[in-house]
Amino acid sequence: MTKKCASALKGERVALNGHSTTSTGMDPSGKLQDELHGSKVELGKKVTLLRGISIIIGTIIGAGIFISPKGILRSSGSVGMSLIVWIACGVLSLLGALSYAELGTSITKSGGHYTYIMEAFGPKMAFIRLWSDLIAIRPAAMAVISLAFGQYILEPLFMPCGIPPMAVKLATATGITSVMYLNSMSVTWTARIQNILTLSKLLAIAIIIVPGMYQLFKGETQNFEDAFDLSKVQLSGIPLAFYSGMYAYAGWFYLNFVTEEVEHPERTMPLAICISMAIVTSCYVLANVSYYTVMTAEELLSSEAVAVTFAEKLLGNFSRVVPLFVAMSCFGSMNGSLFALSRMFFVASREGHLPEVFSMIHIRRHTPLAAVLILYPMTILLLFVGDIYSLLNFMSFLRWLFIGVVVLGLIYLRFKKPDLPRPFKVPLFIPVIFCLTCFFMVFLSLYSDPVNTGIGFAICLTGLPAYYIFIYFKIQAHLQIVLEVVPADQ
């Protein structure tokens, strides 16, 4: 930092959602001071109830319900049992979401899992969560959903031929770049496009549900005969069915990553969560009922793309449009998750767990530009040279481990900080049941795939030496990025 810059910006106040701080930055020309004069550089409260619902629904509903909602059927053993699992997983996810609603209204900071673990268990545990997200979980998850986007956006162009793998990767890279650019340019337009994409997802599901229900009401119920035949049901498969179901509902926690940008969070967050989970659970259950109305269980299990098979049976040539809906659904998941995750990295930088540049905001666009771009290099690298699916296998159990730790933290804070303001408070049995569910799924991962789970746990533990090297001993790497950003410390 130059003396001229420090002098030029002396006394200039930069606000972040009500937290003011004196900011300094490198600006020899004085242009930055002119940009800041008389204005605030902040992440504004632009997430309304509708946008909150769009974030949650848009990130939960990805490609799975359109392509392969058969893991639950395969593991549960019968049509009726699979529908019960879909409903039960929706209810369990609602319990988790309500627990997060309490945390989001009592700890009014953005950052989601990271922030709540920090508040309950301290910086070391929070950094391990952040480290796992940064080096593996989030880049791999982003690459996988982006690959689905690349595959299905090109499919109408190549039907009935196969798509060259390099073309898929190039289309995927284009999708990743566009969603990064969108989130870098405007919070408002990111939210507006998320609304549009969420509506397109619901429209696509409606195109499945409406004709399916019509067929059902016409009397097409032969596929539901012996729906609860228990001859093929194995108790050992039920936990795996629940594991698949809970994974399908994952994403209800993303609104908690942007708490500081939510209008009236004490009202908006519980409402958005309850409305979203009701919509998603209804869509999932009714879509599966529609599939079963038109297809037998055997046809559904053998289909490579269930929605396409469904559309071919009922809608004829309209089935060619289904891949575009799937691609839009994937893009919505990419957009919503990146919008939320960038705020976690923003908050982690503000807490001193990442270089300061990641807690800076663009002076005109008011977006956390560096925090948005942090995942881009690793995601592109994994896309072209990494073994993405193996990495996801290693890390999948960590999602439920840390969510369980977060909800355990809620229970702990009830006793540690009984006077903490809680505008929205759930009965204690709700977090207890959900916490036990999360740890059961962790145990299931250890039991069913101990090798990959152990490797994932070892990758997670590399966060301990990283914490002591970069944080505890204050030997932080300095990152210099030429961006038009200014500090926005708490």
Side-chain angles (χ1 to χ4, degrees), residues 308-381:
V308 174
T309 304
F310 174 92
E312 286 174 348
K313 282 179 168 287
L314 278 189
L315 305 174
N317 290 333
F318 188 77
S319 60
R320 291 179 174 272
V321 180
V322 172
L324 294 178
F325 278 115
V326 176
M328 292 176 69
S329 182
C330 294
F331 194 85
S333 294
M334 293 158 60
N335 186 56
S337 60
L338 180 63
F339 178 79
L341 290 170
S342 62
R343 274 55 179 178
M344 180 181 69
F345 298 126
F346 178 91
V347 172
S349 173
R350 197 170 66 188
E351 296 290 342
H353 283 175
L354 287 175
E356 185 183 12
V357 69
F358 296 109
S359 61
M360 294 181 181
I361 302 171
H362 196 280
I363 59 176
R364 289 184 298 275
R365 298 174 187 135
H366 292 196
T367 59
L369 184 55
V372 168
L373 298 175
I374 188 173
L375 289 177
Y376 188 71
M378 182 64 79
T379 304
I380 294 296
L381 184 66

Side-chain angles (χ1 to χ4, degrees), residues 243-466:
Y243 192 92
S244 298
M246 294 298 290
Y247 185 83
Y249 282 98
W252 43 260
F253 40 75
Y254 276 117
L255 189 60
N256 293 71
F257 284 67
V258 297
T259 305
E260 293 173 21
E261 297 170 68
V262 176
E263 289 184 354
H264 311 297
E266 68 284 349
R267 171 183 173 274
T268 301
M269 294 189 71
L271 270 177
I273 284 169
C274 290
I275 293 171
S276 300
M277 292 309 300
I279 291 173
V280 171
T281 304
S282 300
C283 287
Y284 278 0
V285 173
L286 291 176
N288 277 278
V289 169
S290 296
Y291 289 148
Y292 293 139
T293 301
V294 176
M295 293 181 281
T296 64
E298 291 73 19
E299 287 176 326
L300 190 143
L301 289 172
S302 63
S303 173
E304 294 185 2
V306 175
V308 174
T309 304
F310 174 92
E312 286 174 348
K313 282 179 168 287
L314 278 189
L315 305 174
N317 290 333
F318 188 77
S319 60
R320 291 179 174 272
V321 180
V322 172
L324 294 178
F325 278 115
V326 176
M328 292 176 69
S329 182
C330 294
F331 194 85
S333 294
M334 293 158 60
N335 186 56
S337 60
L338 180 63
F339 178 79
L341 290 170
S342 62
R343 274 55 179 178
M344 180 181 69
F345 298 126
F346 178 91
V347 172
S349 173
R350 197 170 66 188
E351 296 290 342
H353 283 175
L354 287 175
E356 185 183 12
V357 69
F358 296 109
S359 61
M360 294 181 181
I361 302 171
H362 196 280
I363 59 176
R364 289 184 298 275
R365 298 174 187 135
H366 292 196
T367 59
L369 184 55
V372 168
L373 298 175
I374 188 173
L375 289 177
Y376 188 71
M378 182 64 79
T379 304
I380 294 296
L381 184 66
L382 280 176
L383 175 65
F384 285 98
V385 302
D387 189 352
I388 301 168
Y389 293 98
S390 294
L391 190 58
L392 273 183
N393 288 337
F394 295 155
M395 309 304 289
S396 60
F397 90 103
L398 289 178
R399 175 199 292 266
W400 299 112
L401 173 62
F402 282 114
I403 290 175
V405 168
V406 168
V407 179
L408 183 64
L410 182 153
I411 300 169
Y412 175 64
L413 288 173
R414 287 279 186 95
F415 299 97
K416 180 184 177 183
K417 297 181 179 179
D419 298 326
L420 183 70
R422 293 177 172 88
F424 178 81
K425 187 175 181 179
V426 297
L428 191 60
F429 76 88
I430 288 179
V432 169
I433 292 174
F434 187 75
C435 189
L436 292 174
T437 301
C438 289
F439 290 130
F440 172 75
M441 286 191 288
V442 171
F443 171 77
L444 181 64
S445 295
L446 288 168
Y447 176 78
S448 61
D449 194 359
V451 175
N452 282 336
T453 301
I455 293 173
F457 193 68
I459 293 173
C460 170
L461 289 180
T462 61
L464 276 175

Side-chain angles (χ1 to χ4, degrees), residues 53-67:
I53 292 171
S54 294
I55 289 171
I56 297 172
I57 294 177
T59 49
I60 292 178
I61 300 176
I65 191 63
F66 301 106
I67 304 305

Side-chain angles (χ1 to χ4, degrees), residues 138-287:
R138 299 305 175 183
M142 179 67 75
V144 167
I145 191 67
S146 302
L147 275 171
F149 166 81
Q151 174 76 28
Y152 287 98
I153 198 69
L154 293 179
E155 186 159 315
L157 301 178
F158 285 86
M159 281 184 174
C161 302
I163 307 172
M166 184 52 66
V168 172
K169 291 189 175 183
L170 290 174
T172 300
T174 303
I176 294 171
T177 303
S178 61
V179 82
M180 295 276 179
Y181 177 79
L182 174 62
N183 277 266
S184 300
M185 294 301 293
S186 172
V187 172
T188 301
W189 274 104
T190 299
R192 287 174 180 170
I193 290 177
Q194 187 67 16
N195 290 346
I196 295 170
L197 292 169
T198 299
L199 286 174
S200 73
K201 293 186 186 200
L202 296 178
L203 175 62
I205 291 179
I207 290 172
I208 293 169
I209 291 174
V210 172
M213 291 296 102
Y214 177 72
Q215 294 294 317
L216 183 65
F217 293 140
K218 279 177 60 179
E220 298 290 334
T221 59
Q222 64 272 16
N223 293 337
F224 291 98
E225 295 175 4
D226 300 322
F228 290 92
D229 180 11
L230 301 181
S231 61
K232 295 182 180 179
V233 175
Q234 296 182 348
L235 290 179
S236 60
I238 298 299
L240 291 173
F242 271 90
Y243 192 92
S244 298
M246 294 298 290
Y247 185 83
Y249 282 98
W252 43 260
F253 40 75
Y254 276 117
L255 189 60
N256 293 71
F257 284 67
V258 297
T259 305
E260 293 173 21
E261 297 170 68
V262 176
E263 289 184 354
H264 311 297
E266 68 284 349
R267 171 183 173 274
T268 301
M269 294 189 71
L271 270 177
I273 284 169
C274 290
I275 293 171
S276 300
M277 292 309 300
I279 291 173
V280 171
T281 304
S282 300
C283 287
Y284 278 0
V285 173
L286 291 176

